[in-house]
Amino acid sequence: MTMNFDFYMNDMTNQARSEMEASGYKQLKTPEDVEEAFKQPGTTLVMVNSVCGCAGGIARPAAAHAVHYDKRPDHLVTVFAGQDKEATAQARMHFGVDHIPSSPSFALLKDGKLIGEVGRFEIEGHDPMSVVVNLQEQFEEHCEEL
């Protein structure tokens, strides 16, 4: 029995994308999508998605649950590292020269400028609720009640 790797990966990425869309995040698949999304006024939470286990078991569940909070970002978007490479690179350019690229990760922007982030080192090996709390603390500080 042989397994088609591309078929397997497409299944995984489709599931990962579906989870984010079901949680209210808009997919940014091109650099132009990123530029348009980052021009929006207000706060934007960017989830850098991935197919790794900590994305599926920690980051995506945290992304889904963190937004159930009185103060939350105006916009929810996601780029997919390793899949939508140009869009991910474009998003990371906005995160600044001190940003260490990692996936999965989160970046919180206000009017297109980075104001907070949660890197892979704060996701991998942690439970989803600790990531939720981290994100919601940033929402409390930087976001308005919706």
Side-chain angles (χ1 to χ4, degrees), residues 19 27 50 93:
E19 289 175 19
Q27 297 282 334
S50 174
M93 284 179 36

Side-chain angles (χ1 to χ4, degrees), residues 16-138:
R17 288 182 192 278
S18 295
E19 289 175 19
M20 293 305 296
E21 288 175 347
S23 298
Y25 289 75
K26 179 182 177 185
Q27 297 282 334
L28 306 179
K29 295 183 178 183
T30 67
E32 294 79 18
D33 291 345
V34 170
E35 289 304 310
E36 184 178 319
F38 287 15
K39 285 180 186 174
Q40 297 179 91
T43 52
T44 301
L45 180 63
V46 183
M47 194 277 193
V48 180
N49 204 351
S50 174
V51 295
C52 72
C54 61
I58 302 166
R60 286 194 298 273
H65 293 288
V67 296
H68 297 285
Y69 192 69
D70 289 340
K71 291 184 177 182
R72 60 181 186 253
D74 300 308
H75 313 285
L76 304 173
V77 300
T78 182
V79 293
F80 208 130
Q83 303 301 312
D84 301 323
K85 294 175 185 177
E86 294 84 12
T88 303
Q90 188 71 25
R92 287 177 171 157
M93 284 179 36
H94 286 271
F95 301 160
V97 295
D98 294 333
H99 171 77
I100 299 171
S102 65
S103 57
S105 64
F106 295 90
L108 184 62
L109 309 174
K110 183 163 187 148
D111 299 328
K113 306 287 185 225
L114 182 72
I115 56 173
E117 58 187 318
V118 177
R120 181 183 177 107
F121 72 94
E122 297 171 287
I123 297 169
E124 186 176 31
H126 295 81
D127 63 278
M129 280 312 297
S130 67
V131 178
V132 168
V133 168
N134 189 338
L135 288 169
Q136 288 178 342
E137 286 173 352
Q138 293 186 40

Side-chain angles (χ1 to χ4, degrees), residues 4-14 51 83:
N4 182 317
F5 182 74
D6 290 334
F7 181 74
Y8 174 71
M9 286 305 296
N10 285 338
D11 190 45
M12 286 184 66
T13 58
N14 288 339
V51 295
Q83 303 301 312

